[in-house]
Amino acid sequence: MFGLRRTQPVRRRIGVVAAGVATLAASLVTVTATEAVAAEAGCTVAYTVTGQWSGGFNADVAVTNNGAAVDGWQLTWEWPTGQQVRNAWNAKVTGSGNQVTAADAGYNAKVATDKTVKFGFIGTWAEANTAPLSFSLNGVTCVHGGKQLTAMEHTAAMQPGWNLGNSLDSVGRPHDETSWGNPLITEALLDNVKAQGFKSVRLPVTWTARVGPAPDHTIDAAYLARVKEVVRWALERDLYVMINLHHDSWQWTWTMPTQHDQVLNQFNKIWTQVAGAFTEFGPKLTFESWNEPQFTGSTGKPQEIQLNAELNASFFDIVRRSGGNNAKRLLVLPTMHTSSEQQYIDPLVAQIQGLNDPNLIATVHYYGFWPFSANVAGGTRFDASVQQYLTDDFDRVHDSFVARGIPVIVGEYGLLGFDQHTGTIEQGEKLKFFEYFGHYARAKKLTTMLWDNGQHFNRTSFQWSDPELFAHIKSSWTTRSGTAYTDQVFTAKSGTITARTIKLNLNGTSFSGLYHGNTALTRGADYTLDGDQLTLTASALTRLSGSRSYGTNAVLTARFSQGVPWRFYVITYDTPVLSDATGTTEKFEIPTDFRGDQIATMEAKYDDGSGAGPEPWTSFKQFGYTFEPNYTDRKTILKKEFFDKVNDDARVTLTFHYWSGEKVTYHVTKSGTSVTGTTA
């Protein structure tokens, strides 16, 4: 499922944390460029801070001409943190804002191929003294790292990536990065994102509310400056960055079938301004034309595919003609809907090949097999069908793009159920999905960028809301982890405890032991292992269950030769008990004594056996959207979205499926806005 908007969590609003600590260590930046054409010069620049004191510094610059001989040169750069040049020698240095131009001094205007010219200056700084992010010699880009990376190398270097979502892409009022509940972006956030191991940041940007009227559609200067500031912060931390047009796709761009010229003009005007604002930024910044292409009012898929190609082509032309570092900047082009379906992949393959530009990247998004991803239609488990859907998608993407030399970024990935909350998919099933996702993406050479709207990595405490989930994601970047068919071991309080056998998914690892805390359980007495069949003995489960209070009595961890350990929750339960209730369609609450059990899914049927509620083709309703449990307050909630699609005065039989395997039926009848619920 593609083209869906992501919902946002509520977060406490805080102010910007100011950065006031200067970097006192000397810095060295070496950058090179290949020739734009034979007659143009490439360069290597060695930039060295030779001395620094409070508010001032000395710097030496050595420029090596790697191209054809030049007679007259200008070296340009942009200060990331507002430094100024005071005095210079062996060059005429001028500045305007953050932009600096160093021109030859006349006597050193001629620089032969492979020869070096040197100059120096005294500069001033305030908050920090960060080295320039890039240089250009006579308008030709000087690329970091000694050589220009190929598109494939560049894309691989961006792995793994993270989305700074629901901030600069926020819509609504106020039109700022806090309007969807996230705090202002800070340098401390980017420091901590990098510390988690991420190499790149996708920075979604929604421009709609920040542009003026036609025909110019001028971008608000303060907003553009803020975007540039955040990009600089990320680049200063040696992170790759990707910016785009984001929610513009469903705010105005999607009207292109009926408002072709107006949309094209606005799209072009925005990208002309954005490209112009970033011409001097280094190659670690990439542009993505737009997010999740979609259209309304079209004549069908062929027209939509053509319009997406038209906008991609216009974006490409605008950026390339804007000059500076944009002449070779890596550009990211999406499939229609950023879908991995073959019907949408093939047109983008043809377009990229037709553009004949080596610095292009394709992008798709991945939110998994819809029934599992949203927990609907009975899709509660990461089973063979869910895994096959993933492998088929990634195989198509690899064989169509990567095998033809076109790199791919999975610009967003996650689960659609997260649009409600991260508990819509059971923990163990969720972990298996992300473990396999990371493994197979790595196998197919796909760079991945986790979608995070603030619900995963807290942007003030810098802690993961689900550390176990992130541990599996991070481990999947480099290796595989062992998992199991389930992470839940249920024993009925009303019954006798017996042994339980669970299938392990070794995933190329070997089992090394089972632990309760730091205590190793005894093989043979506490458990046995026969191939991939792990059996917990009745005596061990009896001991671990203790007094057998409802809920989790013990947590075990299976350790493997590599990767992240797998948890087993030893749970005591009895069949849940529901009670009669009355309420309204706005929110109907069923008193529920869960007695240690947990809901997996809910069926809803009319007396004739047909499906009731949304998605009537299936009796299994969407977890979190139509219903959800509240274990703390001991109730099961049926939501307005469920009753909006239920017939008046028609009894609906609900069947609640629990993870223990228990099933409990309940009946509800809607009359207008009133709802009655009974157990009989």
Side-chain angles (χ1 to χ4, degrees):
M1 298 293 291
F2 302 90
L4 298 181
R5 293 161 56 190
R6 316 284 168 234
T7 57
Q8 67 283 352
V10 176
R11 289 286 188 268
R12 181 170 58 88
R13 179 174 179 171
I14 64 170
V16 170
V17 177
V21 179
T23 302
L24 298 180
S27 59
L28 173 65
V29 177
T30 302
V31 293
T32 66
T34 54
E35 298 177 53
V37 294
E40 293 180 338
C43 62
T44 301
V45 176
Y47 173 94
T48 309
V49 174
T50 58
Q52 182 167 300
W53 57 94
S54 178
F57 67 101
N58 287 330
D60 287 340
V61 183
V63 185
T64 301
N65 176 22
N66 303 129
V70 298
D71 186 359
W73 53 266
Q74 285 190 339
L75 187 75
T76 59
W77 69 87
E78 180 176 341
W79 290 120
T81 44
Q83 300 96 316
Q84 300 289 321
V85 173
R86 194 172 67 191
N87 297 310
W89 50 92
N90 297 331
K92 301 172 184 176
V93 181
T94 58
S96 176
N98 289 340
Q99 301 288 331
V100 182
T101 300
D104 67 79
Y107 56 82
N108 58 0
K110 294 182 178 181
V111 186
T113 300
D114 295 330
K115 297 300 181 181
T116 300
V117 62
K118 299 179 179 180
F119 66 93
F121 60 84
I122 299 174
T124 60
W125 62 275
E127 293 184 357
N129 186 21
T130 307
L133 300 175
S134 68
F135 295 88
S136 293
L137 177 64
N138 291 352
V140 178
T141 305
C142 303
V143 180
H144 287 271
K147 72 180 185 71
Q148 182 171 357
L149 297 179
T150 66
M152 197 70 76
E153 291 169 337
H154 181 114
T155 304
M158 293 174 69
Q159 172 67 11
W162 178 79
N163 274 270
L164 210 171
N166 285 21
S167 287
L168 289 171
D169 58 314
S170 299
V171 301
R173 295 187 181 278
H175 294 305
D176 62 34
E177 62 200 78
T178 69
S179 64
W180 272 356
N182 280 316
L184 290 169
I185 302 164
T186 64
E187 292 185 87
L189 170 62
L190 294 168
D191 286 334
N192 280 274
V193 167
K194 182 176 181 180
Q196 305 309 306
F198 291 104
K199 298 295 193 297
S200 61
V201 173
R202 183 172 181 252
L203 187 63
V205 184
T206 299
W207 303 91
T208 304
R210 295 296 188 171
V211 299
D216 296 330
H217 296 293
T218 303
I219 298 174
D220 176 72
Y223 187 67
L224 184 56
R226 174 59 172 162
V227 175
K228 292 178 69 175
E229 179 178 50
V230 176
V231 171
R232 284 194 196 96
W233 287 348
L235 292 174
E236 287 165 20
R237 285 151 179 82
D238 204 29
L239 290 164
Y240 290 82
V241 184
M242 184 161 73
I243 63 172
N244 67 359
L245 268 66
H246 202 74
H247 291 305
D248 307 83
S249 62
W250 56 262
Q251 290 189 306
W252 55 273
T253 312
W254 68 348
T255 66
M256 195 173 182
T258 55
Q259 301 180 51
H260 177 275
D261 293 350
Q262 298 95 311
V263 168
L264 183 60
N265 175 64
Q266 185 168 345
F267 181 88
N268 290 350
K269 289 296 174 61
I270 291 175
W271 266 118
T272 297
Q273 295 170 79
V274 173
F278 288 97
T279 54
E280 292 303 314
F281 279 59
K284 285 197 170 183
L285 172 64
T286 62
F287 294 157
E288 176 188 24
S289 62
W290 62 312
N291 176 68
E292 296 185 345
Q294 54 192 286
F295 298 101
T296 183
S298 73
T299 59
K301 291 179 182 178
Q303 184 192 23
E304 293 178 354
I305 291 169
Q306 187 276 324
L307 291 175
N308 180 47
E310 183 178 3
L311 290 179
N312 281 342
S314 190
F315 157 78
F316 170 82
D317 183 59
I318 288 167
V319 175
R320 286 292 180 255
R321 285 191 293 105
S322 64
N325 292 346
N326 291 341
K328 293 187 177 180
R329 189 175 305 285
L330 272 289
L331 303 182
V332 182
L333 304 181
T335 62
M336 186 66 201
H337 302 299
T338 50
S339 169
S340 51
E341 294 179 41
Q342 198 70 52
Q343 63 178 327
Y344 299 128
I345 288 175
D346 290 341
L348 185 59
V349 170
Q351 181 170 34
I352 289 175
Q353 290 177 329
L355 289 171
N356 194 29
D357 186 302
N359 294 319
L360 298 178
I361 302 170
T363 186
V364 298
H365 292 175
Y366 193 78
Y367 286 94
F369 184 52
W370 180 60
F372 171 75
S373 184
N375 195 344
V376 69
T380 58
R381 288 195 179 274
F382 181 72
D383 58 18
S385 61
V386 181
Q387 181 172 314
Q388 190 62 52
Y389 187 88
L390 188 154
T391 57
D392 288 348
D393 270 19
F394 285 8
D395 285 348
R396 282 196 303 273
V397 170
H398 174 273
D399 295 347
S400 300
F401 290 115
V402 179
R404 290 184 168 102
I406 301 169
V408 173
I409 294 174
V410 182
E412 295 179 16
Y413 72 91
L415 290 168
L416 292 175
F418 288 177
D419 281 358
Q420 308 302 322
H421 53 76
T422 59
T424 57
I425 290 87
E426 194 275 330
Q427 183 74 359
E429 305 306 315
K430 179 196 315 176
L431 297 181
K432 286 185 283 186
F433 168 84
F434 283 99
E435 192 281 332
Y436 191 79
F437 171 93
H439 151 69
Y440 208 69
R442 179 161 47 89
K444 294 300 175 179
K445 298 182 173 59
L446 309 179
T447 288
T448 61
M449 308 187 88
L450 175 67
W451 176 257
D452 190 350
N453 59 13
Q455 67 184 172
H456 294 309
F457 189 61
N458 188 285
R459 298 180 187 180
T460 55
S461 70
F462 309 128
Q463 300 295 315
W464 291 95
S465 59
D466 188 342
E468 185 180 34
L469 171 61
F470 180 63
H472 275 267
I473 291 173
K474 187 170 185 176
S475 179
S476 76
W477 298 338
T478 56
T479 191
R480 295 219 65 181
S481 296
T483 63
Y485 174 75
T486 184
D487 62 345
Q488 300 170 313
V489 183
F490 285 95
T491 63
K493 188 170 186 176
S494 57
T496 301
I497 293 178
T498 59
R500 294 286 188 274
T501 298
I502 305 166
K503 182 181 183 298
L504 300 178
N505 306 313
L506 293 172
N507 298 331
T509 72
S510 59
F511 178 85
S512 60
L514 188 65
Y515 291 76
H516 181 212
N518 291 322
T519 302
L521 299 189
T522 303
R523 187 165 181 169
D526 295 326
Y527 70 92
T528 62
L529 183 67
D530 182 8
D532 60 1
Q533 301 295 308
L534 175 69
T535 299
L536 303 175
T537 65
S539 60
L541 288 173
T542 299
R543 183 180 77 251
L544 292 166
S545 297
S547 62
R548 303 190 71 188
S549 58
Y550 288 136
T552 299
N553 301 134
V555 180
L556 308 179
T557 54
R559 300 182 186 178
F560 301 90
S561 56
Q562 62 189 40
V564 180
W566 181 260
R567 297 190 194 188
F568 293 106
Y569 298 87
V570 179
I571 302 168
T572 297
Y573 82 100
D574 270 327
T575 305
V577 176
L578 282 60
S579 302
D580 294 350
T582 58
T584 70
T585 55
E586 285 297 314
K587 186 168 69 173
F588 182 76
E589 298 176 343
I590 304 171
T592 307
D593 186 354
F594 291 99
R595 304 210 293 177
D597 217 336
Q598 300 171 27
I599 296 179
T601 187
M602 179 189 82
E603 284 189 272
K605 294 180 180 179
Y606 294 115
D607 287 344
D608 64 3
S610 62
E615 309 289 350
W617 54 270
T618 175
S619 61
F620 290 92
K621 302 297 102 175
Q622 184 174 341
F623 194 114
Y625 178 70
T626 60
F627 75 96
E628 66 182 2
N630 183 326
Y631 297 112
T632 301
D633 296 336
R634 300 171 67 182
K635 55 192 177 185
T636 303
I637 301 167
L638 301 183
K639 297 188 172 184
K640 180 179 182 295
E641 288 80 1
F642 172 71
F643 288 110
D644 283 347
K645 301 294 184 180
V646 168
N647 298 333
D648 266 6
D649 302 316
R651 189 179 78 153
V652 177
T653 297
L654 307 177
T655 303
F656 291 99
H657 295 250
Y658 296 88
W659 280 107
S660 67
E662 296 288 342
K663 299 178 184 179
V664 178
T665 59
Y666 193 82
H667 307 285
V668 293
T669 304
K670 180 185 84 168
S671 296
T673 60
S674 298
V675 180
T676 301
T678 64
T679 58

